[in-house]
C-alpha cells in the first residue's frame, strides 16, 4: 500500500499538531495568570525529578535483570563529577572531567 504525497503532508502536519498542541496549550493558558507559590515550587522540582529518573537506573543498576550494582564505573565517576559541577558550575568542564574520569576508570578497572 503506497501513500500519495498529499497523504504524507497531511500525516506530517497532523503529527506536528499533535506534538505541538499539548506543549503550547498549557503555556498559552497559564502565561497570563498568576500561579500560586506552591505550584511554582512544585514545578521547579520537575527537572530534578526527571533527571534523577533518567540517571538513577544507568548509575545504579545492571541492564538485565535489574539488580543493584554499586561498583559500576558510571557511579564511581558520577560522584567526583557531581562535586566538580557543584563547585565550579561549569558545564563544559564538568563534561570534560566526566569523560576523562570515565576513560581513566576504563583503564584502571
Amino acid at each position: 500500500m503506497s501513500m500519495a504525497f498529499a497523504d504524507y503532508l497531511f500525516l506530517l502536519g497532523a503529527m506536528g499538531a499533535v506534538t505541538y498542541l499539548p506543549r503550547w496549550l498549557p503555556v498559552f493558558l497559564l502565561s497570563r495568570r498568576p500561579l500560586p507559590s506552591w505550584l511554582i515550587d512544585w514545578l521547579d522540582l520537575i527537572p530534578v525529578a526527571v533527571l534523577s529518573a533518567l540517571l538513577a537506573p544507568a548509575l545504579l543498576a545492571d541492564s538485565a535483570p535489574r539488580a543493584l550494582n554499586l561498583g559500576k564505573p558510571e557511579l564511581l565517576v558520577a560522584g567526583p563529577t557531581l562535586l566538580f559541577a557543584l563547585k565550579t558550575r561549569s558545564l563544559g568542564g564538568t563534561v570534560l572531567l566526566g569523560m576523562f574520569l570515565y576513560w581513566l576508570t576504563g583503564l584502571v578497572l
Side-chain angles (χ1 to χ4, degrees):
M1 179 175 145
S2 65
M3 292 176 54
F5 183 71
D7 294 336
Y8 280 113
L9 284 179
F10 175 74
L11 185 63
L12 185 64
M15 288 190 307
V18 168
T19 302
Y20 184 75
L21 279 176
R23 295 180 179 146
W24 173 79
L25 194 59
V27 172
F28 177 75
L29 292 176
L30 298 175
S31 65
R32 296 190 179 132
R33 293 181 180 188
L35 298 175
S37 63
W38 65 266
L39 182 59
I40 293 172
D41 292 342
W42 182 77
L43 289 173
D44 284 343
L45 297 176
I46 290 177
V48 175
V50 169
L51 186 61
S52 298
L54 290 173
L55 287 178
L59 293 177
L60 298 172
D62 289 330
S63 58
R66 290 274 180 199
L68 184 64
N69 183 0
L70 298 177
K72 291 183 69 173
E74 293 88 353
L75 182 62
L76 297 174
V77 169
T81 306
L82 176 65
L83 292 177
F84 179 82
L86 292 174
K87 176 91 173 163
T88 64
R89 305 278 182 193
S90 168
L91 177 62
T94 302
V95 170
L96 288 176
L97 179 69
M99 291 171 58
F100 173 73
L101 290 176
Y102 189 72
W103 171 77
L104 194 61
T105 304
L107 288 179
V108 173
L109 296 179

